[in-house]
Amino acid sequence: MFTNSNPPLFKVESYSTDSIASLFFMPFFEHTISAGFPSPADDYCQKKLDLNELLIHKRSCTLFITVNDNTLSQYGIYPDDLLIVDQSRTPKHKDVVLLRYLRNEYIRLFYKKNGKCLFVAQEQGKTAEFIETPTDNDIEIIGVAVARVHCFKV
């Protein structure tokens, strides 16, 4: 069962979509890439990849948050992952959501079952934690995570 003593699952970073917009234009290969030996045709790029276009749907409603624990590792979200959260989206069944519950913010998987909302967290190999709300007033859904950036450790 969910306990209120858990620390918040993320820290909010002060990234501005305006300040990082120019960093998001990168060379983009229009064809898929094999993990094997390179093709001689791979030496050219045809267009630029715009990560703003790919990841940010409504700039004014976008938050970037950094996850700081393993609570959603069962769902592929790990510490230091950057989540891109869209505050304008309405959550659907099995979306990852940013929510406020009892004055703390959490990232949880959203389930809607029999008219009730369930918010689930589960570390790999552990029992799932649930927040069940009898009314919509108990929890404020801040936004829906639309993407995750995971950096490989070197």
Side-chain angles (χ1 to χ4, degrees):
M1 186 64 187
F2 176 79
T3 59
N4 188 24
S5 61
N6 292 341
L9 299 179
F10 64 91
K11 56 186 176 189
V12 176
E13 300 290 345
S14 59
Y15 302 124
S16 159
T17 53
D18 291 329
S19 66
I20 61 176
S22 62
L23 301 176
F24 280 173
F25 288 98
M26 304 298 234
F28 180 63
F29 294 94
E30 286 193 350
H31 57 280
T32 59
I33 295 188
S34 169
F37 294 102
S39 162
D42 288 344
D43 291 336
Y44 67 94
C45 297
Q46 291 193 354
K47 66 177 186 176
K48 298 281 185 181
L49 172 64
D50 181 358
L51 293 179
N52 289 303
E53 184 180 313
L54 181 66
L55 301 173
I56 300 172
H57 303 285
K58 285 195 174 180
R59 178 177 248 165
S60 63
C61 299
T62 300
L63 297 173
F64 296 88
I65 59 174
T66 303
V67 177
N68 66 11
D69 73 4
N70 281 314
T71 307
L72 289 177
S73 60
Q74 182 68 28
Y75 307 106
I77 299 173
Y78 300 99
D80 299 324
D81 283 357
L82 181 69
L83 295 182
I84 300 165
V85 177
D86 187 338
Q87 295 176 288
S88 69
R89 292 200 179 187
T90 302
K92 297 180 297 221
H93 184 64
K94 293 190 177 181
D95 275 348
V96 174
V97 296
L98 169 61
L99 61 96
R100 185 171 292 119
Y101 178 65
L102 300 176
R103 291 186 230 154
N104 288 314
E105 285 81 23
Y106 300 94
I107 296 291
R108 294 289 189 260
L109 196 66
F110 175 76
Y111 278 86
K112 194 155 192 169
K113 187 174 184 177
N114 300 329
K116 289 188 178 182
C117 296
L118 294 173
F119 299 91
V120 181
Q122 184 175 9
E123 286 186 51
Q124 285 182 335
K126 294 192 177 179
T127 306
E129 294 180 357
F130 297 91
I131 303 173
E132 184 175 349
T133 65
T135 67
D136 290 338
N137 296 333
D138 295 340
I139 291 180
E140 174 191 357
I141 297 175
I142 298 169
V144 175
V146 294
R148 171 185 64 99
V149 178
H150 178 82
C151 295
F152 296 113
K153 303 293 183 207
V154 232

